[in-house]
Amino acid sequence: MVAVRLGSQTPRIASIPPYDVTMAPQVIDNAAKTGLVLDEWQRYVLTGGLGKDTAGEWTAKRASVWVPRQNGKGGIIEALELAWLFLWDTDELIIHSAHQHRTSQRAYVRMERLIRRTPEFLERVKSFRQTNGEREIELYDGRVMQYVTRSRSAVRGFSAPKVVLDEAQELDDDEMAAIGPTVSAMPWWQMWFFGTPPDDPAAWVYGLKEDGESGAKRLMHLDWGVALPADAPGTYAKAVDIELAYQSNPALGVRITQDTVEDEYRPSGLGVKYPQERLGAWKPPARKAGGVIDPRVWSQIADKDSRRHGPVALAVDVTPMRTHASIAMYGVRADGLGHVQTVTYGEGVDWVVAKLAALVEALKPVAIGLDAKGGAGALLEELKLAGITTPDDPEHPEVGDLAVPSVQEVAQATGQFIDAARQQKFRHVGGVELTSAVLNANTRPLADAVAWGRKQSDVDISPLVSATLARWAYVTRVNAKPKTQELVGSLMA
C-alpha cells in the first residue's frame, strides 16, 4: 500500500485550558455506535474541549474551532450532540444554531439519519419534528434538541446548558446579546463556536479570536488557518504553496484531494479568495471605534440597496507595487444623498484600462478621477490610447475626461470624504474590500492637511482612495464647471 499524506492533525494555534480528565473517549465511542468514526484531528478537538477539573466542571466553558470548509467539523458537532442527547442525563435543552436556514436544515437531517440507523438511540426518541420551519428532536425523558436559524430574537428567553454556534463567522453583537444569556444561569454549560474566517473585518468573532490567542481563561481556541497577511504584496503567489494547504486542512488526503486544492488555487478556481477559503487566512481586523471613520458610522450609512440616480463619476487607483487596483463610482441618489460603491477590485493592473473603457462606454461618466502622482499615473499613456484623456481645455472639460487632482486637491478630497461620511451625507453598498480599507485606513500629513496614507495603513486602501477620488471628481465637475453642468443636464434628460 502507498502511504497517503495527511494534512496537519493539530492546529497552528492551540490554546487549551488545563484539565484533569477528558470525557472525549466516551463521546467518541458513543458516536461510533452510529457508524460515525472520527479522524485524529476531530478527536483532538473533543479531547481538549471536553476536559474537566477535579470538581467535575468543564475547564473550557467556551470552545472556538476554526478550520477551512469541507474538513469535517460537522462530525465533531454530531459527536457532541449525540453525547448530549444519549450519553449524559443532565441536559434538558440543546440548541444547534446556524446562520443560514439550509445549514440548520442539513444538520437536522444528518442527525436524524444517524439516530434512525442506531436502534439503541432510536427507541429513546419520542418525536422528530420538522414543520413550519421548526426542527427538533425530542426524547421520552424530556430532552430536546432544537435546530434554529439565528436572528436577534431566535433564542431570547430560553435557557439551555449546551449551545452549538455553527457558521460563527457571521455572528454579530445583537445575536450574541440574544444567545449569550441562554447559558448564564445554567450549571455545567458549554458553548461551542465553529467557523471559517469572516468576510467582514469588523465581525464579532475577531474579539473571540483575540481572546483565544491571548489565552483567556475557560476558552479553548483552535485555529488551523495559516498566518498569511491577507493584503500584503505577493500574498496570492505565496498562498499557492501546497505546504500551506497541508498545514491548514487536516482532512487533506482524506476528504479533500491534493488535485482538488491545486484546481482551487487557479484563477478559474477560488482565485483571490483562495487564502481565506482554503487556507483559513484571516483578514486584518478593523480597528475599534475612534478611527478616522468610526466603524459604527460606516455601518450606519451602509445600504446594500442604494442606487444612484442620474450621472456618475468614476475613479481608479493602483497600489504602489501594482499588485491591486480598484475602480469606484460616485453619484447622487433620488433622495439627494450621495452613493458610493466599488465597481471592480482585482489583482494586477493589466485589466484596468479595458475595464475602464467599457465602463466609460456604458455609463458616460461626467469625469474619471485619477491621481497622477500615485500608482495609477503609469496608466496615463495607455488610457490615452483608449481615448481617455485629460481635458483639452481645463476650463471647459468634456464629459468622460480625466479629472487629475493637484496635491492640494488630494488633501481637499480626503477631508471632504471624511466629513461627508461623518455627517452621513452619502450611502455605500458595502463590500469587503471597501469596508476593510475604510476601517483600517490611516492618514498622512500633506501640506497643512492630510491624505490617505498607504504606509500608515495595515491593508490595501486603494478601494477607499478610488472612492474618495470619485466623489471629488463628481463634485468638482458637476458643481464647478458650467459646460459640464450643461452636459450633465443632457444626460439627465
Side-chain angles (χ1 to χ4, degrees):
M1 296 181 63
V2 178
V4 176
R5 183 181 181 185
L6 300 179
S8 176
Q9 299 300 290
T10 55
R12 179 180 62 87
I13 300 292
S15 178
I16 302 174
Y19 57 85
D20 295 294
V21 65
T22 179
M23 299 293 103
Q26 298 178 32
V27 174
I28 294 166
D29 290 344
N30 185 69
K33 295 177 180 179
T34 69
L36 178 59
V37 179
L38 300 177
D39 298 343
E40 178 184 343
W41 79 273
Q42 295 169 318
R43 299 195 298 270
Y44 174 92
V45 172
L46 292 170
T47 298
L50 294 173
K52 286 190 172 185
D53 59 21
T54 53
E57 183 67 79
W58 301 113
T59 55
K61 304 294 284 185
R62 296 182 298 162
S64 169
V65 183
W66 301 89
V67 64
R69 292 183 298 169
Q70 305 303 317
N71 274 277
K73 64 180 173 61
I76 303 171
I77 295 173
E78 289 158 3
L80 276 171
E81 294 174 346
L82 285 168
W84 293 339
L85 277 172
F86 302 108
L87 188 57
W88 302 307
D89 58 3
T90 58
D91 305 321
E92 294 183 359
L93 177 61
I94 305 156
I95 293 176
H96 178 116
S97 163
H99 176 67
Q100 296 187 35
H101 173 81
R102 62 184 180 182
T103 307
S104 177
Q105 170 74 11
R106 285 198 299 265
Y108 170 86
V109 169
R110 287 197 303 266
M111 181 59 73
E112 181 177 352
R113 185 180 302 124
L114 288 172
I115 294 172
R116 286 191 181 279
R117 72 189 189 194
T118 312
E120 176 185 339
F121 295 159
L122 182 59
E123 67 183 12
R124 296 173 60 184
V125 175
K126 180 179 180 180
S127 67
F128 295 99
R129 187 176 300 114
Q130 187 175 191
T131 58
N132 299 322
E134 294 184 1
R135 296 168 297 278
E136 66 178 36
I137 300 170
E138 182 180 3
L139 272 55
Y140 284 108
D141 64 10
R143 258 177 286 188
V144 176
M145 167 84 74
Q146 289 189 346
Y147 291 80
V148 301
T149 303
R150 277 195 297 272
S151 70
R152 297 179 181 183
S153 59
V155 295
R156 189 176 291 276
F158 287 83
S159 293
K162 300 294 186 291
V163 179
V164 165
L165 298 166
D166 198 4
E167 300 176 319
Q169 68 273 14
E170 303 291 348
L171 284 164
D172 62 30
D173 291 341
D174 290 325
E175 290 171 345
M176 282 306 300
I179 295 168
T182 61
V183 300
S184 58
M186 304 296 293
W188 318 113
W189 66 268
Q190 273 197 316
M191 186 175 289
W192 285 72
F193 302 83
F194 295 88
T196 56
D199 281 331
D200 182 359
W204 178 87
V205 293
Y206 276 93
L208 184 67
K209 177 177 182 286
E210 181 179 343
D211 284 345
E213 292 180 351
S214 66
K217 293 181 179 179
R218 297 175 294 280
L219 170 62
M220 180 184 78
H221 182 74
L222 307 178
D223 187 356
W224 266 264
V226 300
L228 193 65
D231 296 275
T235 289
Y236 182 73
K238 181 181 179 182
V240 299
D241 181 353
I242 195 65
E243 294 301 317
L244 296 178
Y246 276 101
Q247 292 171 25
S248 53
N249 289 269
L252 185 51
V254 181
R255 297 175 186 82
I256 305 169
T257 67
Q258 183 170 321
D259 288 346
T260 297
V261 172
E262 290 173 350
D263 288 341
E264 285 178 338
Y265 65 55
R266 300 184 192 282
S268 60
L270 297 176
V272 295
K273 287 286 190 178
Y274 177 81
Q276 178 186 359
E277 295 292 340
R278 179 50 61 208
L279 303 185
W282 293 69
K283 296 178 180 293
R287 294 178 321 189
K288 295 181 174 64
V292 178
I293 298 177
D294 192 317
R296 291 170 297 187
V297 172
W298 188 250
S299 177
Q300 288 167 1
I301 62 176
D303 179 0
K304 62 182 178 60
D305 297 320
S306 181
R307 297 291 183 270
R308 55 98 181 182
H309 178 72
V312 298
L314 299 173
V316 59
D317 187 65
V318 174
T319 59
M321 297 302 293
R322 307 177 70 72
T323 57
H324 292 83
S326 177
I327 298 173
M329 171 197 296
Y330 184 90
V332 174
R333 306 180 347 156
D335 61 6
L337 292 171
H339 167 88
V340 173
Q341 74 176 85
T342 299
V343 179
T344 307
Y345 174 81
E347 287 195 325
V349 298
D350 55 338
W351 56 272
V352 174
V353 173
K355 180 64 175 179
L356 202 54
L359 289 169
V360 169
E361 179 66 24
L363 299 176
K364 304 295 189 295
V366 297
I368 303 165
L370 182 150
D371 183 359
K373 294 180 175 59
L379 297 174
L380 285 171
E381 287 301 316
E382 193 175 347
L383 287 168
K384 184 176 181 180
L385 294 175
I388 302 173
T389 63
T390 55
D392 293 332
D393 181 355
E395 293 301 316
H396 300 90
E398 302 283 348
V399 168
D401 284 344
L402 288 172
V404 180
S406 65
V407 171
Q408 183 180 11
E409 287 171 327
V410 168
Q412 291 173 350
T414 304
Q416 291 164 1
F417 190 93
I418 294 170
D419 289 343
R422 289 175 176 173
Q423 296 165 18
Q424 303 193 17
K425 290 184 176 180
F426 67 79
R427 298 292 182 264
H428 64 87
V429 297
V432 174
E433 293 84 7
L434 179 58
T435 295
S436 177
V438 168
L439 299 185
N440 289 279
N442 279 310
T443 57
R444 58 184 170 89
L446 190 61
D448 292 328
V450 297
W452 296 120
R454 299 184 197 275
K455 293 181 180 179
Q456 293 79 7
S457 304
D458 296 329
V459 303
D460 174 16
I461 62 170
S462 63
L464 173 58
V465 174
S466 60
T468 301
L469 290 174
R471 184 183 184 279
W472 170 82
Y474 183 94
V475 172
T476 300
R477 289 287 169 86
V478 170
N479 293 343
K481 304 298 182 183
K483 185 174 182 180
T484 306
Q485 288 181 353
E486 181 180 327
L487 289 169
V488 168
S490 67
L491 288 173
M492 293 284 286

